[in-house]
């Protein structure tokens, strides 16, 4: 019962950087619906989102953690222990961040921030596959990491849990609010421009005749004395 799906994405825009799915013969293949839900979860993240969350979706549960502006997301069957799932994500995050540092040294953040295409770091897939195999048997993982899991118990119990529909509906509402905000900003700019135009027109109507009259008088005086 290994992780069914694992993805690492950039938090700022949800761009997937590396991903893998389970190749175990004892698990059902990951559906397109689950792939789309994973994508929507990643896109729903923003500054201030919880750093850890579990999201129930039918027979499966998504887990994610955010570290160093990267989101580490996985999907397990509902029966998989929650503490072991987050331990898996912790170890995936450690391994990926270590590999980024080793490959790019102090430039690794810039490499992540400027990645322009999906799966820029797909060559890290073997790391995810290796970790997935290590967590195939949760009972074995629990026996090998009992003290660490016990220390993390209180933290894990406090992690927010949501339903996939609730989360994605919230994302749609936030996107709608964002779109409305952009429309209001555009209308506000149009209104300001219209207000400035009306102000200039009013000033022209008020002072235009005076300016024209003054110009005419000066022109007559010029012709009289200097022409």
């Amino acid at each position: 019962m290994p992780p069914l799906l694992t993805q690492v994405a950039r938090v700022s825009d949800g761009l997937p950087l590396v991903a893998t799915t389970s190749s175990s013969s004892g698990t059902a293949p990951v559906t397109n619906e689950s792939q789309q839900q994973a994508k929507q979860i990643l896109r729903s993240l923003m500054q201030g989102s919880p750093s850890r969350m579990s999201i129930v979706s039918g027979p499966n549960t998504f887990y994610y953690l955010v570290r160093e502006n990267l989101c580490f997301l996985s999907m397990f069957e509902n029966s998989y222990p929650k503490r072991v799932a987050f331990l898996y994500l912790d170890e995936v995050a450690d391994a990926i961040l270590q590999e980024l540092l080793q490959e790019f040294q102090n430039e690794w953040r810039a490499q992540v921030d400027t990645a322009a295409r999906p799966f820029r770091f797909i060559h890290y897939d073997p790391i995810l596959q290796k970790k997935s195999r290590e967590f195939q048997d949760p009972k074995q993982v629990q026996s090998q990491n009992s003290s660490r899991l016990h220390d993390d118990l209180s933290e894990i119990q406090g992690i927010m849990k949501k339903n996939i529909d609730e989360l994605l509906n919230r994302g749609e509402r936030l996107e709608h609010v964002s779109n409305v905000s952009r429309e209001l900003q555009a209308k506000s700019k149009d209104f300001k421009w219209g207000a400035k135009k009306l102000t200039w027109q009013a000033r022209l109507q008020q002072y235009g005749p005076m300016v024209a009259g003054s110009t005419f008088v000066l022109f007559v005086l010029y012709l009289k004395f200097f022409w």
Side-chain angles (χ1 to χ4, degrees):
M1 191 169 46
L4 304 175
L5 173 152
T6 304
Q7 291 191 13
V8 182
R10 195 165 55 196
V11 170
S12 60
D13 56 4
L15 181 74
L17 302 174
V18 57
T20 191
T21 56
S22 173
S23 58
S24 175
S25 59
T27 58
V30 176
T31 64
N32 289 333
E33 182 183 7
S34 294
Q35 295 277 13
Q36 288 300 314
Q37 288 175 343
K39 185 184 298 185
Q40 289 175 295
I41 291 170
L42 293 171
R43 288 179 176 175
S44 72
L45 295 177
M46 59 187 68
Q47 294 295 330
S49 294
S51 60
R52 296 185 182 218
M53 185 181 287
S54 62
I55 304 151
V56 179
S57 175
N60 302 316
T61 299
F62 289 95
Y63 299 90
Y64 80 73
L65 72 83
V66 174
R67 192 191 300 177
E68 300 290 348
N69 292 320
L70 291 174
C71 179
F72 302 87
L73 174 77
S74 64
M75 184 180 77
F76 294 83
E77 294 178 359
N78 287 340
S79 58
Y80 200 91
K82 181 178 181 179
R83 285 184 294 170
V84 181
F86 278 109
L87 178 62
Y88 167 75
L89 288 176
D90 276 324
E91 294 200 4
V92 166
D94 289 341
I96 294 296
L97 291 171
Q98 182 179 355
E99 193 68 21
L100 283 167
L101 184 60
Q102 183 175 343
E103 182 174 359
F104 302 107
Q105 288 78 49
N106 293 333
E107 298 297 318
W108 73 266
R109 293 179 188 274
Q111 291 291 327
V112 169
D113 292 340
T114 58
R117 57 182 175 83
F119 307 108
R120 162 69 175 79
F121 304 100
I122 195 61
H123 54 290
Y124 292 171
D125 176 73
I127 298 174
L128 301 184
Q129 291 283 357
K130 180 175 181 293
K131 283 297 174 185
S132 179
R133 289 192 297 270
E134 291 175 1
F135 280 75
Q136 186 164 353
D137 183 354
K139 292 183 178 180
Q140 182 178 357
V141 175
Q142 286 176 314
S143 64
Q144 293 173 345
N145 298 271
S146 57
S147 60
R148 182 177 176 183
L149 289 170
H150 178 75
D151 292 340
D152 293 342
L153 179 58
S154 59
E155 181 182 356
I156 295 298
Q157 287 177 337
I159 291 174
M160 186 179 296
K161 180 178 180 180
K162 284 186 174 291
N163 180 273
I164 186 70
D165 293 329
E166 178 185 358
L167 181 75
L168 298 185
N169 287 338
R170 174 178 175 272
E172 290 175 0
R173 289 196 299 270
L174 290 173
E175 184 177 359
H176 175 70
V177 170
S178 179
N179 290 336
V180 170
S181 176
R182 286 194 293 268
E183 290 176 3
L184 289 175
Q185 288 176 354
K187 290 180 180 179
S188 175
K189 290 180 181 178
D190 292 341
F191 174 78
K192 288 180 180 178
W193 164 245
K196 288 181 179 179
K197 185 177 179 181
L198 290 174
T199 300
W200 279 108
Q201 288 177 346
R203 289 179 179 176
L204 183 61
Q205 291 176 355
Q206 182 178 359
Y207 299 110
M210 297 174 58
V211 173
S214 300
T215 303
F216 178 75
V217 170
L218 291 173
F219 179 69
V220 171
L221 292 174
Y222 174 78
L223 292 178
K224 183 176 181 179
F225 294 104
F226 299 101
W227 190 258

